[in-house]
Amino acid sequence: MNTRLLSACLLLAAAGQAYGQEVPTPTSHFGFELGADRELADWHQLTSYYEKLAETSLRVSVDTLGTTTKGLPFVMLTITSPDNQARLDELHAVQMKLSDPRTIGSEAELERLLDEGKTVVLITHAIHATEVGGAQTAARLAHRLASSTEARIEEILDNVILLQIPSLNPDGTQWVVDWYKEWVGTEYEGATLPWLYQYYVGHDNNRDWYAFTQKETWLTVTGAHNAWHPQIVHDIHQMGGSGARIFFPPYIDPIEPNVDPGIVSAVNQLGAYMAADLTAQGKDGVVINAIYDGFTPARAYQHYHGGARILSETASAQLASPVTIDPAEIGGGREYDAAVSSWNYPRPWPGGEWHLADIVDYMESGALALLTNAAKNRRFWLENFYEIGLRATEGWDSWPEAWVIPAEQDNATGLAYVLRILATADVEVHRAESDFRAAGMGFAAGSYVIPMKQPYASFAQTMLEVQHYPDLREYPGGPPKRPYDVTGHTLPLLMGIEAHALEALPTVALSAPIEAPEVPFTLPAALSGSEAPRVGVYKSWHEPMEGGWTRWVLDQYGLQYDTLNHHDVKSGGLGSRYDVILFQGQDPATIVEGYQGRGPMPPDYRGGIGEEGSRALREFVRGGGRLVAVEEATDLLIDLFELPIANPVERLPTEEFYVPGSIVRLELDDHALTRGLDDQAAGWYWRSSRAFEVNDPGVSIAAYYGEGNPVASGWILGPEHLAGRPALVEASIGEGSVVLFGFQPNYRAETVATWPLLFNALVPSRRTTMDGAGS
């Protein structure tokens, strides 16, 4: 008996009575057809179903990679043929060899690996919990692959190892289903969830693919990406409902320059193949090369790890409730017009009804098209994967030979954070075993050296270098083409550390690669112990993501604080309970009036602080309290106290001034808010940031935006409008004060360099300020 047949027989024997049982259909398990109007399976039902698939199909296994932020199981399915399941360890070893060309000793060994290996595909669903189709599609796709005898499915199973994460956000999946079921059949059916659908970061959980702050990101990166290094990652999303029905790559420009051309080309052909497959099925509204660019690594981990990231975005309904789109509502989009046929949108959707069933159908069809391509072109995907890794290990001409990060730095938190990111991303970071000199500089023993001839050097390069985002316009002299996300991500600037590019590998003995270190979040003395200020953080319904990111940082540091809703503020007497109250970036109308979104919202989730709360805040400050406001929330305090402070860039047209998300230079004055910092820092400026114009000598200025062109990484259009303007100010009012941040001191929990400014602001002026929060 040959080895493969023996392994399969052993697996059948181990399955016992389970083998031969009929694989349960979704309808038999859930009691409704997946995609049915107004029906949603929750996370408990879904995980139970995956266990049953694994019990009844030799094609499926289920692993719990860990638990979520709120303690739910975080699971991954492995789906492939029974023969592949029986030799999964062997196939994994092949994949690991191909992922690092340095481990392959000969052409003959390479040919054997290419012959034996399978295309490894990771499909991820439901990271954004209100995009409800993804979690439902995951179960339907898993059933089809577990049970179908179609030739197409058999070919996929024979040639592909599918890693399926059916929800990247199980907490949110459960919350949204519970919320929807509570209100279905009422006037509030389909209402937006009134709290962040990931406990800390909401929608920004899909911006965490290089910082790895959230548990779900960590589990996916370590348990799927790094464990298998898939050739293809398919990230299934939903988008707005008045344009195309589904998007596939190619992405629009710009593509981040450290993404290997082999990845860019592979993404282009695979996305176009998927679009052609769905269009051939008669599906309307398929668009490519529109809307989404490929610049930020915050959304594209696999682009720096040898694999093609395929984003799909399917048009949404109203959660699980159908919608009707009037043809007159269908209009333009970035790089296409949804009402007009074009080369990248050849078959427009005419409008009409759109159901959850349509969403699930489009999503499943897209996934099957991708898997079909991965199966039919198995050899291409393996060879391309190997060649991408080979080019990295040989080094790119545009890269330095090495990076060095000095060991002795003032900002221990930022240093550990950067090292954790690099090591978690499988970048080989070594320690120098003795002092050495390079590029005219001396470095102490223990300094961190990153040779750039290694498989994932592209990740190190994009994380450590300065970004120079191109100035792209709609037409010459016209408004800028808006990036889909942000334009800068230089870790040394964000984290407040030094890193140096070297043109020659230093001649010093190096240690084995380090493990990812823990980050020491040490609470400053001024914010801890019996003298710690009493801190309140405003968190009513419809909390902005910036507020959730700030809660995450405060929780890492163990800072004691209360979250205040609008009722807490309106009740008054704030000075008896708090010394400082923080308002993160939030529209003043939402703070004062409550819910400002479209569509229905139950009354209990609508309120704002109103005039009562505004009066209570005035009394709080005049009685000795401190209010801290960030970005948009500064407008509230400026109006509340009639401060002589304006925002001079507020009404400038985008043709003159535009900052989509960049790292800027800050000049710091000698001020209590800047205690413990040098006279310069890097800060974060983006869509909701402000510059100030101060018309009162009683308002003190703690920080300015840098003179000249203040951009440190990314892109600014019209930098002269920002240069030299006040960025952080304090105004004394009665016995208290207000502190206004024009920039974001806690951008996605990455701006370690400016956390000390935020912490200093949480110490009332009558107390001793902290010293060096980042260290």
Side-chain angles (χ1 to χ4, degrees), residues 634-655:
T634 61
D635 296 349
L636 172 69
L637 301 193
I638 289 170
D639 290 344
L640 208 59
F641 296 99
E642 299 180 344
L643 297 175
I645 299 173
N647 177 8
V649 301
E650 181 178 20
R651 291 184 174 83
L652 292 174
T654 57
E655 293 92 331

Side-chain angles (χ1 to χ4, degrees), residues 658-682:
Y658 181 59
V659 191
S662 299
I663 305 169
V664 297
R665 292 183 293 106
L666 298 174
E667 305 288 342
L668 307 184
D669 256 5
D670 184 13
H671 193 284
L673 292 172
T674 63
R675 188 75 56 82
L677 288 93
D678 295 330
D679 57 3
Q680 290 189 336

Side-chain angles (χ1 to χ4, degrees), residues 586-604:
Q586 189 170 10
D587 172 39
T590 303
I591 297 172
V592 175
E593 301 167 19
Y595 177 67
Q596 299 289 303
R598 298 179 180 176
M601 181 58 60
D604 289 347

Side-chain angles (χ1 to χ4, degrees), residues 43-326:
W43 187 239
H44 303 296
Q45 295 170 307
L46 288 165
T47 51
S48 172
Y49 185 59
Y50 297 133
E51 293 293 341
K52 288 186 178 180
L53 289 182
E55 291 170 4
T56 56
S57 174
L58 291 174
R59 302 171 177 179
V60 180
S61 61
V62 180
D63 294 293
T64 299
L65 301 182
T67 56
T68 65
T69 302
K70 301 303 288 182
L72 291 178
F74 190 88
V75 304
M76 181 174 78
L77 285 67
T78 302
I79 306 177
T80 190
S81 69
D83 181 63
N84 290 342
Q85 289 280 9
R87 47 194 294 264
L88 203 60
D89 289 345
E90 177 187 342
L91 293 171
H92 178 263
V94 170
Q95 181 73 355
M96 291 300 99
K97 278 272 191 179
L98 289 171
S99 73
D100 187 350
R102 299 170 302 180
T103 66
I104 299 173
S106 66
E107 285 294 324
E109 183 183 13
L110 174 60
E111 283 301 310
R112 177 182 64 80
L113 296 170
L114 294 172
D115 285 343
E116 293 183 5
K118 307 299 179 182
T119 311
V120 179
V121 176
L122 170 63
I123 299 184
T124 60
H125 304 255
I127 191 168
H128 295 149
T130 52
E131 299 168 11
V132 295
Q136 312 302 299
T137 301
R140 197 164 93 172
L141 176 64
H143 170 259
R144 187 165 181 178
L145 294 171
S147 62
S148 175
T149 57
E150 299 170 68
R152 179 187 192 185
I153 300 300
E154 296 281 1
E155 183 180 30
I156 290 169
L157 294 168
D158 286 343
N159 290 283
V160 173
I161 296 170
L162 171 61
L163 312 173
Q164 186 185 33
I165 296 183
S167 176
L168 286 167
N169 180 17
D171 297 336
T173 295
Q174 188 64 43
W175 288 335
V176 168
V177 174
D178 288 345
W179 171 260
Y180 179 78
K181 288 181 176 178
E182 181 178 356
W183 299 106
V184 70
T186 76
E187 63 182 300
Y188 304 113
E189 178 178 312
T192 302
L193 191 72
W195 58 87
L196 294 173
Y197 52 65
Q198 197 277 353
Y199 179 71
Y200 284 116
V201 304
H203 196 84
D204 268 357
N205 58 358
N206 198 39
R207 304 297 188 275
D208 195 37
W209 295 111
Y210 66 72
F212 318 127
T213 65
Q214 303 305 301
K215 287 187 68 175
E216 296 81 5
T217 315
W218 179 271
L219 293 170
T220 304
V221 167
T222 58
H225 285 281
N226 294 355
W228 277 94
H229 294 302
Q231 281 91 5
I232 302 170
V233 175
H234 182 24
D235 192 11
I236 293 178
H237 285 251
Q238 288 174 219
M239 59 183 176
S242 60
R245 296 300 89 190
I246 196 166
F247 159 84
F248 299 122
Y251 302 108
I252 62 175
D253 281 332
I255 306 297
E256 203 281 319
N258 294 295
V259 179
D260 189 282
I263 293 175
V264 177
S265 297
V267 166
N268 293 349
Q269 69 90 1
L270 179 52
Y273 176 93
M274 296 164 73
D277 192 71
L278 267 66
T279 302
Q281 295 173 30
K283 288 181 166 56
D284 295 333
V286 181
V287 69
I288 62 173
N289 196 229
I291 312 171
Y292 305 98
D293 63 37
F295 190 78
T296 177
R299 303 178 74 239
Y301 180 83
Q302 200 58 28
H303 279 179
Y304 305 88
H305 292 81
R309 177 188 181 253
I310 299 295
L311 169 69
S312 68
E313 297 267 359
T314 304
S316 295
Q318 192 170 359
L319 297 180
S321 300
V323 295
T324 300
I325 306 297
D326 190 304

Side-chain angles (χ1 to χ4, degrees), residues 603-626:
D604 289 347
Y605 303 97
R606 281 188 170 273
I609 65 172
E611 181 51 42
E612 290 175 87
S614 298
R615 185 165 53 249
L617 293 175
R618 294 189 192 98
E619 293 171 354
F620 171 69
V621 172
R622 289 174 178 141
R626 170 176 280 184

